[in-house]
């Protein structure tokens, strides 16, 4: 299990402008520990989802749905990131409850080279528009 703490010292939590979150490649077992450590959010590492999306998007999303439910049960906010793109982001956002933020960098910049930055941002925002 690989866990990366971005802000691990609880003294930072007293500062209203700071949030503590833990990025994890393990979908479930780290969530309880992240909550106990005082994290406000967890960030799910989504490369396995992105890699499996084309072959079977339902299979690829399943463990992330489970993790999202578990995060909510632990009182954690939920971020996600890595290899999310215009191809797979809308489905991810639609299926993952309580998704607060996504980290999109590489794909956004690559798309912007072809579509322009304004159009690219518009399309990514559309991917994140979820009813309900």
């Amino acid at each position: 299990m690989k866990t990366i703490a971005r802000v691990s010292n609880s003294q930072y939590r007293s500062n209203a402008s700071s949030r503590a979150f833990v990025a994890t490649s393990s979908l479930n077992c780290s969530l309880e520990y992240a909550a106990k450590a005082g994290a406000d959010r967890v960030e799910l590492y989504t490369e396995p989802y992105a890699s499996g999306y084309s072959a079977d998007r339902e299979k690829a999303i399943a463990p992330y749905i489970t993790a999202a439910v578990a995060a909510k049960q632990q009182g954690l906010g939920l971020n996600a990131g890595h290899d999310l793109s215009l191809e797979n982001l809308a489905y991810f956002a639609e299926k993952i409850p309580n998704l607060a933020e996504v980290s999109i960098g590489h794909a956004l910049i690559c798309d912007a080279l072809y579509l322009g930055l304004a159009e690219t941002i518009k399309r990514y925002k559309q991917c994140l528009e979820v009813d309900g």
Side-chain angles (χ1 to χ4, degrees), residues 3-58:
T3 303
I4 303 166
R6 296 280 176 98
V7 179
S8 60
N9 191 331
S10 61
Q11 73 185 21
Y12 294 113
R13 295 196 66 220
S14 62
N15 181 344
S17 66
S18 297
R19 289 187 312 221
F21 78 96
V22 174
T24 181
S25 59
S26 174
L27 290 178
N28 288 321
C29 59
S30 297
L31 297 176
E32 179 182 352
Y33 298 115
K36 286 180 180 179
D40 299 305
R41 294 186 184 182
V42 291
E43 180 170 306
L44 302 177
Y45 175 70
T46 54
E47 188 275 331
Y49 162 75
S51 294
Y53 178 83
S54 295
D56 186 346
R57 69 185 191 171
E58 289 180 18

Side-chain angles (χ1 to χ4, degrees), residues 57-70:
R57 69 185 191 171
E58 289 180 18
K59 182 178 177 182
I61 197 76
Y64 294 90
I65 294 170
T66 302
V69 170

Side-chain angles (χ1 to χ4, degrees), residues 95-113:
K95 297 294 182 183
I96 300 300
N98 308 312
L99 184 63
E101 293 182 21
V102 292
S103 298
I104 304 167
H106 183 259
L108 186 145
I109 296 303
C110 290
D111 291 334
L113 292 173

